[in-house]
Amino acid sequence: AQSVAQPEDQVNVAEGNPLTVKCTYSVSGNPYLFWYVQYPNRGLQFLLKYITGDNLVKGSYGFEAEFNKSQTSFHLKKPSALVSDSALYFCAVRAADSNYQLIWGAGTKLIIKP
Amino acid sequence: DTAVSQTPKYLVTQMGNDKSIKCEQNLGHDTMYWYKQDSKKFLKIMFSYNNKELIINETVPNRFSPKSPDKAHLNLHINSLELGDSAVYFCASSQVSAADNQYFGPGTRLLVL
C-alpha cells in the first residue's frame, strides 16, 4: 500500500535560517513525489516534483527537495527562510506505474518568525 | 485568467438542504478531482473523473454525487447536508499522466448549520 508520512505537525524557523520540512513515503516501484504549499484561505499550489533523474529538484520560491531512495525520503528545503514562507506544506506520492490516486501527507505547518 | 475556478466561494446552509458546487478549468486537462479538507487540514480525495472513468472513493457517502457536463467542468452535488459535511472543498485538474501535477481551485467553504 502507498503511504506518505510528514512526521512534524509544525516546524518553527527563524527568518534567514535554513528550513527543512520532512517527508517519507512507501510505494511499490518507482515513486513520483510532489510538494505543494497552501497559504491561508487559498488553494494548494504546486512547488516541485521528482519524476526521474537528478535527486535534487529545484522548484518555486527558492525551494528544493532531495530524493533519497535508500531512506525513502523527499525532504523539502530552503537555504534561507522568509516570513512569507509561512504556510501549510503537503507532500504527496504516487507509484510511477500505477493509476492509483495521489496519496497525500497530513501537512506540516511552517512558521517563520522574524 | 483563473485556471481552476469554483463557485460559490462561501456556502452557509441548513442541515438537510441540497446544494451544489461548481468547478471549471480552462487548462485543457483531461482529469478533474474533488477534495475535502477538514478542520484539521487533512486533505482527502473524494472523486477523480476523466473522459473515460469516474473513480469514487468508497468512503464518500452516496449523498455526494459528481456531475461532469463536459471535460472542463466537474460539479459536486450534495444531498441532505449534515453537520459533518462542513469543510473546505477543493476542485483540481491535471493531465492524465501520473507524472503531472494538479492545479487547485481556491476552495469552497461550506458551513452546515
Side-chain angles (χ1 to χ4, degrees):
Chain A
Q2 300 179 100
S3 65
V4 176
Q6 293 182 243
E8 301 152 319
D9 292 336
Q10 183 169 308
V11 172
N12 298 302
V13 178
E15 187 176 26
N17 283 1
L19 69 87
T20 298
V21 182
K22 296 180 180 177
C23 173
T24 59
Y25 67 90
S26 174
V27 69
S28 298
N30 293 321
Y32 290 158
L33 293 152
F34 302 81
W35 275 103
Y36 287 78
V37 60
Q38 184 180 24
Y39 297 103
N41 299 315
R42 303 285 295 275
L44 278 73
Q45 297 177 33
F46 169 74
L47 270 181
L48 50 80
K49 64 183 176 184
Y50 172 82
I51 303 301
T52 188
D54 193 346
N55 289 344
L56 184 63
V57 179
K58 294 187 182 297
S60 306
Y61 312 119
F63 283 93
E64 58 189 27
E66 186 168 11
F67 170 59
N68 188 318
K69 188 172 184 178
S70 62
Q71 296 185 7
T72 61
S73 67
F74 190 56
H75 301 331
L76 182 70
K77 300 182 179 183
K78 187 173 182 179
S80 179
L82 300 172
V83 173
S84 58
D85 293 330
S86 298
L88 187 59
Y89 291 80
F90 289 94
C91 181
V93 68
R94 177 191 285 131
D97 57 354
S98 81
N99 292 322
Y100 295 139
Q101 298 297 329
L102 199 58
I103 304 301
W104 295 85
T108 298
K109 185 175 184 179
L110 177 63
I111 297 177
I112 309 300
K113 298 183 177 180
Chain B
D1 288 342
T2 303
V4 182
S5 59
Q6 296 178 227
T7 54
K9 190 172 182 179
Y10 300 97
L11 187 53
V12 181
T13 188
Q14 297 291 325
M15 205 165 46
N17 285 351
D18 302 338
K19 291 293 180 183
S20 292
I21 306 172
K22 296 184 177 181
C23 178
E24 177 182 3
Q25 55 95 3
N26 62 8
L27 298 167
H29 289 161
D30 295 318
T31 305
M32 296 184 72
Y33 311 83
W34 277 109
Y35 285 90
K36 178 181 180 180
Q37 187 175 44
D38 63 22
S39 58
K40 294 185 178 180
K41 306 298 184 183
F42 292 141
L43 199 62
K44 296 180 182 179
I45 181 73
M46 300 177 71
F47 305 101
S48 67
Y49 191 96
N50 63 23
N51 287 334
K52 301 176 182 178
E53 188 176 3
L54 171 64
I55 300 172
I56 300 174
N57 186 319
E58 60 186 24
T59 66
V60 177
N62 57 15
R63 298 182 293 103
F64 291 79
S65 55
K67 298 186 190 304
S68 180
D70 54 62
K71 79 171 191 176
H73 297 84
L74 182 63
N75 303 324
L76 182 65
H77 189 75
I78 315 170
N79 290 326
S80 303
L81 278 155
E82 300 178 357
L83 296 177
D85 297 333
S86 296
V88 181
Y89 292 85
F90 288 103
C91 177
S93 72
S94 73
Q95 295 289 10
V96 174
S97 167
D100 288 312
N101 44 291
Q102 296 180 10
Y103 293 79
F104 282 76
T108 296
R109 284 148 186 81
L110 172 65
L111 177 60
V112 182
L113 302 175

